[in-house]
Amino acid sequence: MRRMLIVFIAVIRGYPDDYQPPIWKSYLYQLQQEAPRPKRITCPQEMESRPKYYGREFHGMISRDYADELLAGKEGAYLIRESQRQPGTHTLALSFGHQTFNYRLFYDGKHFVGEKRFESVHDLVTDALITLYIETKAAEYIAKMTTNPIYEHLGYTSLLKDKMVHRLSRGRTEPRRVTFQSEDRISSPVVRRSALKETPEKLSSYEKIHNFKVHTFRGPHWCEYCANFMWGLIAQGVRCSDCGLNVHKQCSKLVPSDCQPDLRRIKKVYSCDLTTLVKAHNTTRPMVVDICIREIELRGMKSEGLYRVSGFSEHIEDVRLAFDRDGERADISASAYADINIIAGALKLYLRDLPIPVITFDLYSKFIQAASKRFTSWYFHAITAGAARQRSDTYRFAYTELPNAESRLEAIHEGLLQLPPAHYETLRYLMAHLKRVTTLEKYNLMNAENLGIVFGPTLMQPPEQNALTTLNDMRQQKLVVQLMIEHEDVLF
């Protein structure tokens, strides 16, 4: 067979004039065409014990040696037998490479011996023969096929990367690294205003890992990382559900974190990963956060109990559906929803429904520990007691624990710097808004502590949903958000 050259047809506009589409490597495709075909060894008699989901390839309870005899010299031949050692269990016997392979066979509506599930035993055997043949004939080739990838040379890959760097560089706020200084002498347990020292900015980018899922490709498909054919009958590789990149499962571990989600693949706004939504819309923050906060600041900042009073759940659900359906064109104006608590509730719902919270699971414990930070201090304590009161005051030193304001802020700030950029920017924007809410406390009756109670569980969730852990951490969750609001100008 002549070497097959499949040319990738570009579908993304904006290619450079000198762009040359890659040529896919067809060696593994040729091997799949050469793989042996399945040959069913039928049982000469009807087996009463045959399960209804097997055909005449079922031979009942026969020995392994007898199965070997039936398959001998027939490449690709197969049969199913019932195990003599474990009655009621079934084994697929398959002839390949002058030997018999025996696999424990299962059925749960589909047939399988491993991860892949098939509609028929024939399809399962076809896939097994392709895999065995290719992995036997091309073991060395497969081991080396990722060493010279074409991924970085694909025109659309470089183009997308350049576009994203340009778009995300506009208007992005970089996290500031600050140092909190305290006086040598502790003057009060009250948190003092921290002195600020600027240090070089932490460079960051809106990187996103690909969301790969096992995929069955109809017709020939080539890996967009190594340019080799993706072999097999089903589940030949993985596809990124956010951007559509198709690669081998082993190649997916080598693909850079440069996923650029395609809006056509993002089916909803709520319950969508924050970074995915931001990159899909080419914004620095989720547009839900921007639009809701803009509407609240326009007409609801003096509303009593803002964020604490609940809006009607049916109307909040309507807002969610509007964003999922219309995106940034969703109408949440006063003419559509006169009650500002509906918009506030929709914002809280968005933040609460994120699959990865704004303060991510892997940083949750760091923020909880930051809120729990304490320090020990000697202080001069005067007491008067009993008869000593008439003679003189008796003084003694006592040892106690007091909150360490600076250590808490330092720890919270370190945690903020480790957040993914989209999460950091969302939190920064939200805290600036909540700080403005507290400046109108005399109207809305909402201070940093109240808002901490509301937003603590919304922005922070423990990695393991344990009711006892959540209950025990509520005080720390509240304190983290309270401190971020009170010291927003220093922490962000």
Side-chain angles (χ1 to χ4, degrees):
M1 179 185 288
R2 293 189 307 170
R3 179 177 176 81
M4 177 181 282
L5 302 180
I6 304 294
V7 178
F8 180 70
I9 305 300
V11 295
I12 299 177
R13 297 179 181 178
Y15 278 121
D17 293 337
D18 58 350
Y19 172 69
Q20 296 295 323
I23 296 177
W24 302 115
K25 305 168 186 176
S26 61
Y27 174 56
L28 298 178
Y29 175 78
Q30 294 175 36
L31 289 181
Q32 175 164 310
Q33 299 299 101
E34 298 169 4
R37 301 292 186 264
K39 301 179 182 68
R40 183 174 69 157
I41 303 299
T42 60
C43 182
Q45 58 189 22
E46 184 66 32
M47 303 298 299
E48 294 183 1
S49 61
R50 182 183 60 166
K52 62 180 180 180
Y53 41 82
Y54 294 140
R56 295 292 297 274
E57 69 274 7
F58 182 76
H59 287 248
M61 190 178 289
I62 62 174
S63 68
R64 178 177 291 203
D65 290 339
Y66 183 52
D68 288 345
E69 290 180 19
L70 293 174
L71 299 174
K74 303 180 182 72
E75 188 78 347
Y78 70 96
L79 59 82
I80 298 172
R81 61 183 178 84
E82 185 174 359
S83 173
Q84 292 179 322
R85 294 182 179 179
Q86 295 179 292
T89 63
H90 303 107
T91 299
L92 172 67
L94 174 63
S95 175
F96 176 79
H98 307 292
Q99 60 179 312
T100 300
F101 292 86
N102 291 277
Y103 303 96
R104 178 79 176 274
L105 186 60
F106 301 90
Y107 181 81
D108 63 355
K110 291 189 176 182
H111 303 274
F112 63 98
V113 298
E115 293 181 353
K116 295 183 178 183
R117 283 168 162 73
F118 299 82
E119 296 292 342
S120 68
V121 174
H122 182 85
D123 286 348
L124 187 156
V125 174
T126 301
D127 187 82
L129 289 170
I130 290 171
T131 302
L132 286 170
Y133 187 79
I134 289 179
E135 291 183 353
T136 300
K137 293 285 186 178
E140 186 176 347
Y141 181 89
I142 292 172
K144 296 179 180 179
M145 71 181 185
T146 61
T147 57
N148 187 28
I150 64 165
Y151 184 78
E152 293 296 334
H153 306 295
L154 287 176
Y156 71 88
T157 303
S158 302
L159 187 66
L160 281 176
K161 189 177 296 184
D162 291 341
K163 284 184 177 180
M164 285 309 301
V165 169
H166 175 68
R167 286 172 176 169
L168 291 175
S169 65
R170 296 179 298 176
R172 188 177 67 207
T173 302
E174 300 287 358
R176 298 183 306 171
R177 181 175 291 278
V178 300
T179 302
F180 298 91
Q181 295 181 329
S182 60
E183 299 171 0
D184 294 335
R185 199 164 36 84
I186 296 173
S187 58
S188 167
V190 179
V191 177
R192 296 183 304 276
R193 180 64 172 253
S194 300
L196 177 65
K197 276 190 177 179
E198 294 286 356
T199 58
E201 290 183 342
K202 175 189 176 185
L203 298 177
S204 61
S205 61
Y206 279 52
E207 289 188 349
K208 179 189 177 305
I209 61 174
H210 290 270
N211 185 19
F212 287 120
K213 295 180 180 178
V214 175
H215 189 77
T216 294
F217 298 95
R218 304 301 177 190
H221 261 74
W222 272 255
C223 175
E224 294 175 44
Y225 181 80
C226 70
N228 282 286
F229 176 69
M230 291 192 280
W231 65 90
L233 199 62
I234 67 168
Q236 305 95 325
V238 294
R239 168 176 287 176
C240 177
S241 60
D242 294 334
C243 72
L245 183 70
N246 304 315
V247 294
H248 292 110
K249 187 174 181 180
Q250 58 266 45
C251 291
S252 68
K253 301 172 184 177
L254 303 174
V255 175
S257 300
D258 61 354
C259 175
Q260 173 53 44
D262 186 342
L263 272 176
R264 291 171 296 181
R265 297 178 179 275
I266 308 301
K267 303 300 183 184
K268 56 186 178 180
V269 172
Y270 277 64
S271 301
C272 177
D273 173 66
L274 194 154
T275 302
T276 300
L277 189 67
V278 162
K279 291 202 72 173
H281 287 269
N282 290 325
T283 57
T284 54
R285 294 176 302 275
M287 46 85 175
V288 177
V289 175
D290 277 14
I291 295 172
C292 287
I293 287 179
R294 189 161 57 240
E295 191 67 23
I296 291 168
E297 295 197 348
L298 178 66
R299 58 186 175 96
M301 293 290 277
K302 294 183 179 181
S303 177
E304 185 175 326
L306 180 64
Y307 289 116
R308 190 181 69 240
V309 177
S310 299
F312 287 111
S313 58
E314 299 87 0
H315 294 164
I316 293 173
E317 180 66 13
D318 287 343
V319 173
R320 182 187 72 81
L321 293 173
F323 275 116
D324 283 345
R325 182 184 63 249
D326 304 326
E328 60 187 12
R329 297 188 302 274
D331 181 12
I332 61 170
S333 63
S335 59
Y337 303 97
D339 184 4
I340 197 63
N341 295 311
I342 295 171
I343 310 305
L347 174 59
K348 289 188 294 181
L349 178 63
Y350 171 77
L351 297 171
R352 189 166 58 248
D353 280 0
L354 287 171
I356 300 175
V358 177
I359 293 178
T360 57
F361 290 126
D362 56 340
L363 290 173
Y364 177 84
S365 60
K366 186 177 183 69
F367 280 87
I368 292 296
Q369 291 169 9
S372 304
K373 272 189 174 292
R374 305 181 73 83
F375 77 99
T376 54
S377 172
W378 287 100
Y379 71 99
F380 200 60
H381 181 62
I383 62 169
T384 58
R389 185 180 302 164
Q390 297 179 355
R391 297 192 302 273
S392 64
D393 288 339
T394 301
Y395 298 94
R396 66 180 174 85
F397 283 98
Y399 191 67
T400 189
E401 284 190 344
L402 296 173
N404 185 342
E406 288 75 24
S407 292
R408 277 179 175 167
L409 293 179
E410 284 280 8
I412 290 174
H413 185 255
E414 287 300 315
L416 292 173
L417 292 175
Q418 295 176 41
L419 286 173
H423 287 245
Y424 174 90
E425 177 60 25
T426 300
L427 192 60
R428 181 198 68 79
Y429 190 74
L430 178 64
M431 290 303 110
H433 162 67
L434 296 181
K435 184 68 173 286
R436 292 191 289 273
V437 171
T438 63
T439 63
L440 296 171
E441 181 186 354
K442 67 178 181 179
Y443 301 105
N444 57 42
L445 306 182
M446 296 300 290
N447 56 31
E449 184 176 3
N450 293 338
L451 291 168
I453 294 172
V454 173
F455 280 92
T458 300
L459 299 174
M460 303 177 64
Q461 299 171 28
E464 298 179 359
Q465 296 300 322
N466 182 290
L468 184 60
T469 301
T470 303
L471 185 64
N472 291 337
D473 291 348
M474 284 183 66
R475 181 179 176 276
Q476 284 79 15
Q477 291 173 348
K478 183 266 294 183
L479 187 56
V480 167
V481 176
Q482 179 182 340
L483 289 173
M484 287 194 295
I485 294 172
E486 293 174 341
H487 301 275
E488 172 270 330
D489 55 336
V490 173
L491 288 170
F492 294 93

